[in-house]
């Protein structure tokens, strides 16, 4: 409920101020706070955390896609974005939904070493995929000219998630 209250407030504020860019920026980053809060202090309901994380990240991706798709198509940019999304999707499929959303750290699932691709090549393929996808948008010159801070902040915040995961919970 708190997450949706924040999102509603952001959208209402942007609508009243007729500043859709403000809504795009604010809605894009709410889910990082949810991740950091849960990872640092835990969560009373793992299922509610997963639901909120999925919905808020989806909203963030829709906001980015909304502005990205207004720029003229750029094939190298689209190719890098697609590779990042595919890497992220494969990593999530190998982990499963519970482990994707910190099931070991937040729900006490037993530790398990994953060795299937892409974990056979790297330790944090979901973050690498995110960085590729968000960074790939910067290859589109028209999008980069208008919105460069948006994907740049996503890349920086994903690196923050990597640092958080490497440091461990609590």
């Amino acid at each position: 409920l708190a997450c949706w209250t924040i999102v509603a407030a952001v959208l209402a504020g942007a609508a009243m101020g007729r500043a859709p860019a403000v809504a795009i920026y604010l809605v894009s980053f709410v889910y990082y706070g949810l991740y950091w809060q849960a990872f640092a202090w835990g969560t009373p309901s793992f299922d509610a955390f997963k639901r909120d994380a999925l919905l808020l990240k989806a909203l963030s991706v829709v906001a980015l896609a909304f502005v990205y798709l207004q720029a003229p198509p750029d094939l190298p940019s689209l190719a890098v974005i697609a590779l990042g999304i595919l890497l992220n999707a494969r990593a999530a499929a190998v982990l499963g939904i519970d482990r994707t959303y910190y099931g070991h750290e937040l729900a006490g699932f037993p530790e398990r070493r994953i060795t299937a691709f892409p974990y056979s090549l790297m330790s944090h393929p979901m973050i690498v995929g995110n960085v590729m996808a968000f960074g790939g948008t910067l290859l589109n010159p028209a999008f980069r000219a208008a919105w460069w801070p948006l994907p740049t902040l996503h890349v920086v915040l994903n690196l923050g998630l990597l640092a958080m995961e490497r440091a461990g919970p609590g």
Side-chain angles (χ1 to χ4, degrees), residues 18-59:
R18 292 184 177 82
V22 172
I24 296 293
Y25 277 98
L26 293 175
V27 168
S28 292
F29 304 111
V30 173
Y31 80 94
Y32 293 102
L34 178 69
Y35 286 6
W36 292 329
Q37 177 188 11
F39 205 80
W41 294 289
T43 181
S45 169
F46 183 61
D47 289 333
F49 167 76
K50 285 189 307 183
R51 180 201 61 224
D52 291 348
L54 277 165
L55 291 171
L56 290 172
K57 184 159 186 183
L59 183 60

Side-chain angles (χ1 to χ4, degrees), residues 16 42 55 68 71 113 117 124 127 135 146-147 150 157-158 164 167:
M16 287 187 290
L55 291 171
Y68 179 79
R113 176 124 172 95
F117 176 81
H124 293 278
I127 296 215
W147 289 96
L150 183 64
L157 291 171
N158 269 277
M164 176 190 77

Side-chain angles (χ1 to χ4, degrees), residues 47-155:
D47 289 333
F49 167 76
K50 285 189 307 183
R51 180 201 61 224
D52 291 348
L54 277 165
L55 291 171
L56 290 172
K57 184 159 186 183
L59 183 60
S60 175
V61 169
V62 166
L64 179 68
F66 175 76
V67 293
Y68 179 79
L69 293 173
Q70 292 178 29
D74 181 81
L75 290 181
S77 174
L78 290 169
V80 172
I81 292 167
L83 285 174
I85 291 169
L86 288 172
L87 179 61
N88 195 313
R90 171 64 183 160
V94 168
L95 280 181
I97 193 73
D98 287 336
R99 290 185 185 279
T100 295
Y101 287 97
Y102 307 119
H104 169 66
E105 295 85 350
L106 298 178
F109 290 7
E111 191 167 343
R112 198 170 77 191
R113 176 124 172 95
I114 308 294
T115 57
F117 176 81
Y119 291 92
S120 58
L121 298 178
M122 62 187 80
S123 59
H124 293 278
M126 293 183 76
I127 296 215
V128 171
N130 285 342
V131 168
M132 285 176 65
F134 290 126
T137 65
L138 293 168
L139 297 176
N140 183 319
F143 177 77
R144 182 179 60 240
W147 289 96
W148 69 268
L150 183 64
T152 302
L153 284 169
H154 274 292
V155 168

